[in-house]
């Protein structure tokens, strides 16, 4: 992976950037949310994310999982610290849901306008009907910064966690449920 550089704010050159990425920067700027950005090759694995996280440290590295119930009538976005395991039974019990599984990519596109590998809390800005419930690992809430993609996995942002939960989510009219996940064993 090439050397990564952290810069303040949106890219100065938008040529080649997807509309959904530009809309993300527009919303963050309109809300007065300060962020830092690093551009990189597509982050397809947690190993690639670890390298990127070295650049955006001290942001909490998150796994963002798009989940649904068996009937595909309820959808969830789970933000969990990268080193933790997702145990469906544990999370399902905490939110009083039938067993959860990974939602199909077509539902991810439909509700969040994102594709696998680009899942991020920022995708909730595209969920105008609040069809997706955000679930957040309590250790994420307790982090000063959070790292996430601007709806595309070729950039990563470092934002203050309080800005995400106090400004961003309120502006897009989404709430969240805090869950507890165990550290990986």
């Amino acid at each position: 992976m090439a050397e990564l550089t952290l810069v303040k704010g949106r890219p100065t050159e938008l040529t080649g950037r997807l509309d959904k990425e530009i809309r993300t920067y527009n919303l963050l700027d309109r809300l007065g949310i300060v962020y830092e950005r690093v551009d990189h090759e597509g982050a397809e694995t947690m190993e690639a994310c670890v390298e990127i996280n070295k650049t955006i440290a001290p942001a909490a590295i998150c796994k963002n999982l798009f989940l649904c119930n068996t009937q595909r009538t309820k959808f969830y976005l789970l933000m969990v610290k990268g080193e933790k395991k997702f145990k469906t039974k544990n999370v399902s019990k905490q939110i009083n849901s039938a067993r959860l599984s990974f939602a199909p990519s077509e539902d991810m596109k439909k509700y969040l306008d994102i594709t696998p590998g680009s899942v991020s809390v920022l995708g909730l800005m595209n969920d105008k009907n609040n069809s997706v419930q955000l679930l957040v690992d309590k250790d994420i809430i307790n982090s000063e910064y959070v790292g996430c993609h601007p709806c595309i996995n070729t950039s990563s942002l470092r934002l203050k966690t309080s800005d995400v939960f106090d400004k961003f989510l309120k502006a897009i009219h989404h709430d969240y449920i805090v869950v507890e996940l165990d550290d990986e064993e």
Side-chain angles (χ1 to χ4, degrees), residues 108-121:
M108 187 183 302
K109 174 73 173 149
K110 175 182 174 182
Y111 294 113
L112 303 178
D113 190 24
I114 51 180
T115 55
S118 299
V119 181
S120 159
V121 65

Side-chain angles (χ1 to χ4, degrees), residues 141-156:
I141 296 287
N142 295 327
S143 300
E144 183 178 3
Y145 293 96
V146 65
C148 59
H149 296 305
C151 298
I152 188 72
N153 71 351
T154 53
S155 291
S156 295

Side-chain angles (χ1 to χ4, degrees), residues 64 77 79 119-125 134 148 164 168-169 172:
N64 294 278
L77 175 60
M79 292 176 70
V119 181
S120 159
V121 65
L122 299 177
L124 290 172
M125 70 182 215
L134 179 60
C148 59
V164 172
F168 175 76
L169 290 176
I172 63 166

